[in-house]
mmCIF file with all atom_site columns, all heavy atoms in Angstrom:
data_model
loop_
_atom_site.group_PDB
_atom_site.id
_atom_site.type_symbol
_atom_site.label_atom_id
_atom_site.label_alt_id
_atom_site.label_comp_id
_atom_site.label_asym_id
_atom_site.label_entity_id
_atom_site.label_seq_id
_atom_site.pdbx_PDB_ins_code
_atom_site.Cartn_x
_atom_site.Cartn_y
_atom_site.Cartn_z
_atom_site.occupancy
_atom_site.B_iso_or_equiv
_atom_site.pdbx_formal_charge
_atom_site.auth_seq_id
_atom_site.auth_comp_id
_atom_site.auth_asym_id
_atom_site.auth_atom_id
_atom_site.pdbx_PDB_model_num
ATOM 1   N N   . VAL A 1 1  ? 88.775 174.021 134.759 1.00 97.00 ? 285 VAL A N   1
ATOM 2   C CA  . VAL A 1 1  ? 89.535 173.300 135.697 1.00 97.00 ? 285 VAL A CA  1
ATOM 3   C C   . VAL A 1 1  ? 90.323 172.139 135.165 1.00 97.00 ? 285 VAL A C   1
ATOM 4   O O   . VAL A 1 1  ? 89.761 171.366 134.390 1.00 97.00 ? 285 VAL A O   1
ATOM 5   C CB  . VAL A 1 1  ? 88.610 172.724 136.893 1.00 97.00 ? 285 VAL A CB  1
ATOM 6   C CG1 . VAL A 1 1  ? 89.366 172.155 138.050 1.00 97.00 ? 285 VAL A CG1 1
ATOM 7   C CG2 . VAL A 1 1  ? 87.795 173.972 137.379 1.00 97.00 ? 285 VAL A CG2 1
ATOM 8   N N   . GLY A 1 2  ? 91.566 172.018 135.535 1.00 97.00 ? 286 GLY A N   1
ATOM 9   C CA  . GLY A 1 2  ? 92.502 171.084 134.945 1.00 97.00 ? 286 GLY A CA  1
ATOM 10  C C   . GLY A 1 2  ? 92.644 169.773 135.458 1.00 97.00 ? 286 GLY A C   1
ATOM 11  O O   . GLY A 1 2  ? 93.290 168.944 134.881 1.00 97.00 ? 286 GLY A O   1
ATOM 12  N N   . ALA A 1 3  ? 91.936 169.379 136.609 1.00 96.00 ? 287 ALA A N   1
ATOM 13  C CA  . ALA A 1 3  ? 92.086 168.032 137.193 1.00 96.00 ? 287 ALA A CA  1
ATOM 14  C C   . ALA A 1 3  ? 90.908 167.854 138.070 1.00 96.00 ? 287 ALA A C   1
ATOM 15  O O   . ALA A 1 3  ? 90.128 168.754 138.359 1.00 96.00 ? 287 ALA A O   1
ATOM 16  C CB  . ALA A 1 3  ? 93.345 167.974 137.909 1.00 96.00 ? 287 ALA A CB  1
ATOM 17  N N   . ILE A 1 4  ? 90.669 166.574 138.342 1.00 97.00 ? 288 ILE A N   1
ATOM 18  C CA  . ILE A 1 4  ? 89.664 166.134 139.231 1.00 97.00 ? 288 ILE A CA  1
ATOM 19  C C   . ILE A 1 4  ? 90.238 165.110 140.162 1.00 97.00 ? 288 ILE A C   1
ATOM 20  O O   . ILE A 1 4  ? 90.967 164.268 139.738 1.00 97.00 ? 288 ILE A O   1
ATOM 21  C CB  . ILE A 1 4  ? 88.384 165.721 138.429 1.00 97.00 ? 288 ILE A CB  1
ATOM 22  C CG1 . ILE A 1 4  ? 87.161 165.602 139.333 1.00 97.00 ? 288 ILE A CG1 1
ATOM 23  C CG2 . ILE A 1 4  ? 88.656 164.546 137.630 1.00 97.00 ? 288 ILE A CG2 1
ATOM 24  C CD1 . ILE A 1 4  ? 85.875 165.358 138.693 1.00 97.00 ? 288 ILE A CD1 1
ATOM 25  N N   . GLU A 1 5  ? 89.790 165.118 141.373 1.00 96.00 ? 289 GLU A N   1
ATOM 26  C CA  . GLU A 1 5  ? 90.164 164.039 142.397 1.00 96.00 ? 289 GLU A CA  1
ATOM 27  C C   . GLU A 1 5  ? 89.044 163.547 143.026 1.00 96.00 ? 289 GLU A C   1
ATOM 28  O O   . GLU A 1 5  ? 87.806 164.185 143.016 1.00 96.00 ? 289 GLU A O   1
ATOM 29  C CB  . GLU A 1 5  ? 91.113 164.825 143.381 1.00 96.00 ? 289 GLU A CB  1
ATOM 30  C CG  . GLU A 1 5  ? 91.748 163.928 144.386 1.00 96.00 ? 289 GLU A CG  1
ATOM 31  C CD  . GLU A 1 5  ? 92.813 164.588 145.275 1.00 96.00 ? 289 GLU A CD  1
ATOM 32  O OE1 . GLU A 1 5  ? 93.914 164.848 144.710 1.00 96.00 ? 289 GLU A OE1 1
ATOM 33  O OE2 . GLU A 1 5  ? 92.365 164.858 146.373 1.00 96.00 ? 289 GLU A OE2 1
ATOM 34  N N   . LEU A 1 6  ? 89.097 162.338 143.669 1.00 95.00 ? 290 LEU A N   1
ATOM 35  C CA  . LEU A 1 6  ? 87.970 161.733 144.345 1.00 95.00 ? 290 LEU A CA  1
ATOM 36  C C   . LEU A 1 6  ? 88.465 160.806 145.425 1.00 95.00 ? 290 LEU A C   1
ATOM 37  O O   . LEU A 1 6  ? 89.724 160.603 145.490 1.00 95.00 ? 290 LEU A O   1
ATOM 38  C CB  . LEU A 1 6  ? 87.169 160.891 143.411 1.00 95.00 ? 290 LEU A CB  1
ATOM 39  C CG  . LEU A 1 6  ? 87.756 159.830 142.627 1.00 95.00 ? 290 LEU A CG  1
ATOM 40  C CD1 . LEU A 1 6  ? 87.939 158.550 143.422 1.00 95.00 ? 290 LEU A CD1 1
ATOM 41  C CD2 . LEU A 1 6  ? 87.069 159.600 141.318 1.00 95.00 ? 290 LEU A CD2 1
ATOM 42  N N   . ASN A 1 7  ? 87.675 160.468 146.353 1.00 90.00 ? 291 ASN A N   1
ATOM 43  C CA  . ASN A 1 7  ? 87.953 159.393 147.374 1.00 90.00 ? 291 ASN A CA  1
ATOM 44  C C   . ASN A 1 7  ? 87.158 158.255 147.085 1.00 90.00 ? 291 ASN A C   1
ATOM 45  O O   . ASN A 1 7  ? 85.958 158.387 146.701 1.00 90.00 ? 291 ASN A O   1
ATOM 46  C CB  . ASN A 1 7  ? 87.757 159.919 148.839 1.00 90.00 ? 291 ASN A CB  1
ATOM 47  C CG  . ASN A 1 7  ? 88.690 160.867 149.315 1.00 90.00 ? 291 ASN A CG  1
ATOM 48  O OD1 . ASN A 1 7  ? 89.878 160.932 148.941 1.00 90.00 ? 291 ASN A OD1 1
ATOM 49  N ND2 . ASN A 1 7  ? 88.285 161.793 150.291 1.00 90.00 ? 291 ASN A ND2 1
ATOM 50  N N   . VAL A 1 8  ? 87.646 157.069 147.310 1.00 89.00 ? 292 VAL A N   1
ATOM 51  C CA  . VAL A 1 8  ? 86.973 155.905 147.144 1.00 89.00 ? 292 VAL A CA  1
ATOM 52  C C   . VAL A 1 8  ? 87.266 154.930 148.357 1.00 89.00 ? 292 VAL A C   1
ATOM 53  O O   . VAL A 1 8  ? 88.416 154.771 148.663 1.00 89.00 ? 292 VAL A O   1
ATOM 54  C CB  . VAL A 1 8  ? 87.168 155.195 145.787 1.00 89.00 ? 292 VAL A CB  1
ATOM 55  C CG1 . VAL A 1 8  ? 88.611 154.819 145.653 1.00 89.00 ? 292 VAL A CG1 1
ATOM 56  C CG2 . VAL A 1 8  ? 86.187 154.063 145.581 1.00 89.00 ? 292 VAL A CG2 1
ATOM 57  N N   . PHE A 1 9  ? 86.216 154.269 148.918 1.00 81.00 ? 293 PHE A N   1
ATOM 58  C CA  . PHE A 1 9  ? 86.538 153.305 149.962 1.00 81.00 ? 293 PHE A CA  1
ATOM 59  C C   . PHE A 1 9  ? 87.168 152.072 149.303 1.00 81.00 ? 293 PHE A C   1
ATOM 60  O O   . PHE A 1 9  ? 86.870 151.662 148.267 1.00 81.00 ? 293 PHE A O   1
ATOM 61  C CB  . PHE A 1 9  ? 85.159 152.855 150.621 1.00 81.00 ? 293 PHE A CB  1
ATOM 62  C CG  . PHE A 1 9  ? 84.664 153.871 151.595 1.00 81.00 ? 293 PHE A CG  1
ATOM 63  C CD1 . PHE A 1 9  ? 83.581 154.754 151.221 1.00 81.00 ? 293 PHE A CD1 1
ATOM 64  C CD2 . PHE A 1 9  ? 85.294 154.111 152.817 1.00 81.00 ? 293 PHE A CD2 1
ATOM 65  C CE1 . PHE A 1 9  ? 83.109 155.697 152.049 1.00 81.00 ? 293 PHE A CE1 1
ATOM 66  C CE2 . PHE A 1 9  ? 84.848 155.176 153.697 1.00 81.00 ? 293 PHE A CE2 1
ATOM 67  C CZ  . PHE A 1 9  ? 83.654 155.944 153.334 1.00 81.00 ? 293 PHE A CZ  1
ATOM 68  N N   . GLY A 1 10 ? 88.238 151.581 150.011 1.00 81.00 ? 294 GLY A N   1
ATOM 69  C CA  . GLY A 1 10 ? 89.169 150.510 149.459 1.00 81.00 ? 294 GLY A CA  1
ATOM 70  C C   . GLY A 1 10 ? 88.395 149.202 149.291 1.00 81.00 ? 294 GLY A C   1
ATOM 71  O O   . GLY A 1 10 ? 88.802 148.397 148.360 1.00 81.00 ? 294 GLY A O   1
ATOM 72  N N   . ASP A 1 11 ? 87.175 149.070 149.823 1.00 82.00 ? 295 ASP A N   1
ATOM 73  C CA  . ASP A 1 11 ? 86.471 147.815 149.738 1.00 82.00 ? 295 ASP A CA  1
ATOM 74  C C   . ASP A 1 11 ? 85.426 147.890 148.510 1.00 82.00 ? 295 ASP A C   1
ATOM 75  O O   . ASP A 1 11 ? 84.748 146.991 148.161 1.00 82.00 ? 295 ASP A O   1
ATOM 76  C CB  . ASP A 1 11 ? 85.661 147.329 150.863 1.00 82.00 ? 295 ASP A CB  1
ATOM 77  C CG  . ASP A 1 11 ? 84.614 148.241 151.303 1.00 82.00 ? 295 ASP A CG  1
ATOM 78  O OD1 . ASP A 1 11 ? 84.491 149.394 150.846 1.00 82.00 ? 295 ASP A OD1 1
ATOM 79  O OD2 . ASP A 1 11 ? 83.818 147.775 152.332 1.00 82.00 ? 295 ASP A OD2 1
ATOM 80  N N   . ASN A 1 12 ? 85.372 149.051 147.761 1.00 85.00 ? 296 ASN A N   1
ATOM 81  C CA  . ASN A 1 12 ? 84.504 149.189 146.664 1.00 85.00 ? 296 ASN A CA  1
ATOM 82  C C   . ASN A 1 12 ? 85.330 148.790 145.411 1.00 85.00 ? 296 ASN A C   1
ATOM 83  O O   . ASN A 1 12 ? 85.667 149.716 144.654 1.00 85.00 ? 296 ASN A O   1
ATOM 84  C CB  . ASN A 1 12 ? 84.013 150.692 146.639 1.00 85.00 ? 296 ASN A CB  1
ATOM 85  C CG  . ASN A 1 12 ? 82.866 150.873 145.607 1.00 85.00 ? 296 ASN A CG  1
ATOM 86  O OD1 . ASN A 1 12 ? 82.680 150.075 144.789 1.00 85.00 ? 296 ASN A OD1 1
ATOM 87  N ND2 . ASN A 1 12 ? 82.240 151.952 145.809 1.00 85.00 ? 296 ASN A ND2 1
ATOM 88  N N   . ALA A 1 13 ? 85.421 147.574 145.238 1.00 88.00 ? 297 ALA A N   1
ATOM 89  C CA  . ALA A 1 13 ? 86.206 147.195 143.993 1.00 88.00 ? 297 ALA A CA  1
ATOM 90  C C   . ALA A 1 13 ? 85.696 147.530 142.726 1.00 88.00 ? 297 ALA A C   1
ATOM 91  O O   . ALA A 1 13 ? 86.605 147.828 141.872 1.00 88.00 ? 297 ALA A O   1
ATOM 92  C CB  . ALA A 1 13 ? 86.373 145.612 144.108 1.00 88.00 ? 297 ALA A CB  1
ATOM 93  N N   . ARG A 1 14 ? 84.374 147.647 142.503 1.00 89.00 ? 298 ARG A N   1
ATOM 94  C CA  . ARG A 1 14 ? 83.839 148.071 141.316 1.00 89.00 ? 298 ARG A CA  1
ATOM 95  C C   . ARG A 1 14 ? 84.246 149.599 141.042 1.00 89.00 ? 298 ARG A C   1
ATOM 96  O O   . ARG A 1 14 ? 84.718 149.864 139.813 1.00 89.00 ? 298 ARG A O   1
ATOM 97  C CB  . ARG A 1 14 ? 82.304 147.939 141.179 1.00 89.00 ? 298 ARG A CB  1
ATOM 98  C CG  . ARG A 1 14 ? 81.645 148.474 140.064 1.00 89.00 ? 298 ARG A CG  1
ATOM 99  C CD  . ARG A 1 14 ? 80.169 148.210 140.021 1.00 89.00 ? 298 ARG A CD  1
ATOM 100 N NE  . ARG A 1 14 ? 79.918 146.926 139.422 1.00 89.00 ? 298 ARG A NE  1
ATOM 101 C CZ  . ARG A 1 14 ? 78.775 146.388 139.373 1.00 89.00 ? 298 ARG A CZ  1
ATOM 102 N NH1 . ARG A 1 14 ? 77.718 146.964 139.792 1.00 89.00 ? 298 ARG A NH1 1
ATOM 103 N NH2 . ARG A 1 14 ? 78.687 145.193 138.772 1.00 89.00 ? 298 ARG A NH2 1
ATOM 104 N N   . ALA A 1 15 ? 84.159 150.363 141.983 1.00 89.00 ? 299 ALA A N   1
ATOM 105 C CA  . ALA A 1 15 ? 84.460 151.747 141.720 1.00 89.00 ? 299 ALA A CA  1
ATOM 106 C C   . ALA A 1 15 ? 85.989 152.037 141.567 1.00 89.00 ? 299 ALA A C   1
ATOM 107 O O   . ALA A 1 15 ? 86.446 152.718 140.595 1.00 89.00 ? 299 ALA A O   1
ATOM 108 C CB  . ALA A 1 15 ? 84.054 152.626 142.942 1.00 89.00 ? 299 ALA A CB  1
ATOM 109 N N   . VAL A 1 16 ? 86.846 151.327 142.321 1.00 90.00 ? 300 VAL A N   1
ATOM 110 C CA  . VAL A 1 16 ? 88.233 151.314 142.163 1.00 90.00 ? 300 VAL A CA  1
ATOM 111 C C   . VAL A 1 16 ? 88.665 150.871 140.720 1.00 90.00 ? 300 VAL A C   1
ATOM 112 O O   . VAL A 1 16 ? 89.381 151.555 140.118 1.00 90.00 ? 300 VAL A O   1
ATOM 113 C CB  . VAL A 1 16 ? 88.946 150.404 143.173 1.00 90.00 ? 300 VAL A CB  1
ATOM 114 C CG1 . VAL A 1 16 ? 90.418 150.303 142.928 1.00 90.00 ? 300 VAL A CG1 1
ATOM 115 C CG2 . VAL A 1 16 ? 88.727 150.983 144.594 1.00 90.00 ? 300 VAL A CG2 1
ATOM 116 N N   . GLY A 1 17 ? 88.082 149.833 140.310 1.00 90.00 ? 301 GLY A N   1
ATOM 117 C CA  . GLY A 1 17 ? 88.242 149.487 138.881 1.00 90.00 ? 301 GLY A CA  1
ATOM 118 C C   . GLY A 1 17 ? 87.907 150.451 137.806 1.00 90.00 ? 301 GLY A C   1
ATOM 119 O O   . GLY A 1 17 ? 88.680 150.643 136.909 1.00 90.00 ? 301 GLY A O   1
ATOM 120 N N   . LEU A 1 18 ? 86.672 151.000 138.066 1.00 91.00 ? 302 LEU A N   1
ATOM 121 C CA  . LEU A 1 18 ? 86.254 152.053 137.088 1.00 91.00 ? 302 LEU A CA  1
ATOM 122 C C   . LEU A 1 18 ? 87.222 153.194 137.092 1.00 91.00 ? 302 LEU A C   1
ATOM 123 O O   . LEU A 1 18 ? 87.682 153.710 135.920 1.00 91.00 ? 302 LEU A O   1
ATOM 124 C CB  . LEU A 1 18 ? 84.898 152.582 137.551 1.00 91.00 ? 302 LEU A CB  1
ATOM 125 C CG  . LEU A 1 18 ? 84.382 153.775 136.778 1.00 91.00 ? 302 LEU A CG  1
ATOM 126 C CD1 . LEU A 1 18 ? 84.219 153.565 135.273 1.00 91.00 ? 302 LEU A CD1 1
ATOM 127 C CD2 . LEU A 1 18 ? 83.009 154.274 137.372 1.00 91.00 ? 302 LEU A CD2 1
ATOM 128 N N   . TYR A 1 19 ? 87.543 153.711 138.163 1.00 92.00 ? 303 TYR A N   1
ATOM 129 C CA  . TYR A 1 19 ? 88.421 154.895 138.261 1.00 92.00 ? 303 TYR A CA  1
ATOM 130 C C   . TYR A 1 19 ? 89.835 154.563 137.668 1.00 92.00 ? 303 TYR A C   1
ATOM 131 O O   . TYR A 1 19 ? 90.304 155.403 136.879 1.00 92.00 ? 303 TYR A O   1
ATOM 132 C CB  . TYR A 1 19 ? 88.546 155.383 139.606 1.00 92.00 ? 303 TYR A CB  1
ATOM 133 C CG  . TYR A 1 19 ? 87.275 155.849 140.225 1.00 92.00 ? 303 TYR A CG  1
ATOM 134 C CD1 . TYR A 1 19 ? 86.832 155.435 141.536 1.00 92.00 ? 303 TYR A CD1 1
ATOM 135 C CD2 . TYR A 1 19 ? 86.209 156.558 139.526 1.00 92.00 ? 303 TYR A CD2 1
ATOM 136 C CE1 . TYR A 1 19 ? 85.662 155.828 142.193 1.00 92.00 ? 303 TYR A CE1 1
ATOM 137 C CE2 . TYR A 1 19 ? 85.091 156.882 140.031 1.00 92.00 ? 303 TYR A CE2 1
ATOM 138 C CZ  . TYR A 1 19 ? 84.729 156.531 141.369 1.00 92.00 ? 303 TYR A CZ  1
ATOM 139 O OH  . TYR A 1 19 ? 83.490 156.822 141.995 1.00 92.00 ? 303 TYR A OH  1
ATOM 140 N N   . GLY A 1 20 ? 90.364 153.491 138.026 1.00 91.00 ? 304 GLY A N   1
ATOM 141 C CA  . GLY A 1 20 ? 91.652 153.029 137.417 1.00 91.00 ? 304 GLY A CA  1
ATOM 142 C C   . GLY A 1 20 ? 91.698 152.905 136.038 1.00 91.00 ? 304 GLY A C   1
ATOM 143 O O   . GLY A 1 20 ? 92.587 153.391 135.339 1.00 91.00 ? 304 GLY A O   1
ATOM 144 N N   . SER A 1 21 ? 90.624 152.257 135.470 1.00 92.00 ? 305 SER A N   1
ATOM 145 C CA  . SER A 1 21 ? 90.541 152.063 133.971 1.00 92.00 ? 305 SER A CA  1
ATOM 146 C C   . SER A 1 21 ? 90.163 153.450 133.271 1.00 92.00 ? 305 SER A C   1
ATOM 147 O O   . SER A 1 21 ? 90.285 153.530 132.027 1.00 92.00 ? 305 SER A O   1
ATOM 148 C CB  . SER A 1 21 ? 89.556 150.978 133.608 1.00 92.00 ? 305 SER A CB  1
ATOM 149 O OG  . SER A 1 21 ? 88.222 151.290 134.017 1.00 92.00 ? 305 SER A OG  1
ATOM 150 N N   . SER A 1 22 ? 89.738 154.491 134.081 1.00 93.00 ? 306 SER A N   1
ATOM 151 C CA  . SER A 1 22 ? 89.427 155.693 133.432 1.00 93.00 ? 306 SER A CA  1
ATOM 152 C C   . SER A 1 22 ? 90.461 156.738 133.567 1.00 93.00 ? 306 SER A C   1
ATOM 153 O O   . SER A 1 22 ? 90.345 157.971 133.277 1.00 93.00 ? 306 SER A O   1
ATOM 154 C CB  . SER A 1 22 ? 88.126 156.233 134.080 1.00 93.00 ? 306 SER A CB  1
ATOM 155 O OG  . SER A 1 22 ? 87.041 155.454 133.944 1.00 93.00 ? 306 SER A OG  1
ATOM 156 N N   . GLY A 1 23 ? 91.722 156.302 134.003 1.00 93.00 ? 307 GLY A N   1
ATOM 157 C CA  . GLY A 1 23 ? 92.882 157.189 134.129 1.00 93.00 ? 307 GLY A CA  1
ATOM 158 C C   . GLY A 1 23 ? 93.194 157.806 135.415 1.00 93.00 ? 307 GLY A C   1
ATOM 159 O O   . GLY A 1 23 ? 94.004 158.544 135.475 1.00 93.00 ? 307 GLY A O   1
ATOM 160 N N   . TYR A 1 24 ? 92.451 157.438 136.387 1.00 94.00 ? 308 TYR A N   1
ATOM 161 C CA  . TYR A 1 24 ? 92.753 158.055 137.809 1.00 94.00 ? 308 TYR A CA  1
ATOM 162 C C   . TYR A 1 24 ? 93.873 157.137 138.287 1.00 94.00 ? 308 TYR A C   1
ATOM 163 O O   . TYR A 1 24 ? 93.971 156.076 138.024 1.00 94.00 ? 308 TYR A O   1
ATOM 164 C CB  . TYR A 1 24 ? 91.457 157.977 138.700 1.00 94.00 ? 308 TYR A CB  1
ATOM 165 C CG  . TYR A 1 24 ? 90.354 158.829 138.297 1.00 94.00 ? 308 TYR A CG  1
ATOM 166 C CD1 . TYR A 1 24 ? 89.510 158.684 137.095 1.00 94.00 ? 308 TYR A CD1 1
ATOM 167 C CD2 . TYR A 1 24 ? 90.100 160.003 138.937 1.00 94.00 ? 308 TYR A CD2 1
ATOM 168 C CE1 . TYR A 1 24 ? 88.614 159.530 136.805 1.00 94.00 ? 308 TYR A CE1 1
ATOM 169 C CE2 . TYR A 1 24 ? 89.075 160.919 138.644 1.00 94.00 ? 308 TYR A CE2 1
ATOM 170 C CZ  . TYR A 1 24 ? 88.480 160.617 137.488 1.00 94.00 ? 308 TYR A CZ  1
ATOM 171 O OH  . TYR A 1 24 ? 87.345 161.579 137.136 1.00 94.00 ? 308 TYR A OH  1
ATOM 172 N N   . ARG A 1 25 ? 94.634 157.898 139.138 1.00 93.00 ? 309 ARG A N   1
ATOM 173 C CA  . ARG A 1 25 ? 95.830 157.157 139.785 1.00 93.00 ? 309 ARG A CA  1
ATOM 174 C C   . ARG A 1 25 ? 95.764 157.502 141.343 1.00 93.00 ? 309 ARG A C   1
ATOM 175 O O   . ARG A 1 25 ? 95.161 158.518 141.694 1.00 93.00 ? 309 ARG A O   1
ATOM 176 C CB  . ARG A 1 25 ? 97.167 157.639 139.159 1.00 93.00 ? 309 ARG A CB  1
ATOM 177 C CG  . ARG A 1 25 ? 97.324 159.163 139.337 1.00 93.00 ? 309 ARG A CG  1
ATOM 178 C CD  . ARG A 1 25 ? 98.726 159.575 138.713 1.00 93.00 ? 309 ARG A CD  1
ATOM 179 N NE  . ARG A 1 25 ? 98.942 160.950 138.769 1.00 93.00 ? 309 ARG A NE  1
ATOM 180 C CZ  . ARG A 1 25 ? 99.336 161.636 139.759 1.00 93.00 ? 309 ARG A CZ  1
ATOM 181 N NH1 . ARG A 1 25 ? 99.661 160.984 140.938 1.00 93.00 ? 309 ARG A NH1 1
ATOM 182 N NH2 . ARG A 1 25 ? 99.443 162.972 139.856 1.00 93.00 ? 309 ARG A NH2 1
ATOM 183 N N   . VAL A 1 26 ? 96.276 156.634 141.980 1.00 90.00 ? 310 VAL A N   1
ATOM 184 C CA  . VAL A 1 26 ? 96.391 156.906 143.488 1.00 90.00 ? 310 VAL A CA  1
ATOM 185 C C   . VAL A 1 26 ? 97.385 158.002 143.897 1.00 90.00 ? 310 VAL A C   1
ATOM 186 O O   . VAL A 1 26 ? 98.488 157.929 143.312 1.00 90.00 ? 310 VAL A O   1
ATOM 187 C CB  . VAL A 1 26 ? 96.725 155.635 144.295 1.00 90.00 ? 310 VAL A CB  1
ATOM 188 C CG1 . VAL A 1 26 ? 96.851 155.886 145.746 1.00 90.00 ? 310 VAL A CG1 1
ATOM 189 C CG2 . VAL A 1 26 ? 95.755 154.529 144.055 1.00 90.00 ? 310 VAL A CG2 1
#
């Protein structure tokens, strides 16, 4: 599989930071 997606609640700053710094984009 060539891609992966996820949902994250906007108030979960730690997770948002992890995903962003791991190459995930909105």
Side-chain angles (χ1 to χ4, degrees):
V285 180
I288 188 167
E289 189 174 281
L290 57 85
N291 285 335
V292 61
F293 286 103
D295 66 349
N296 190 343
R298 177 177 270 177
V300 170
L302 169 65
Y303 302 136
S305 67
S306 296
Y308 289 75
R309 62 183 175 80
V310 175

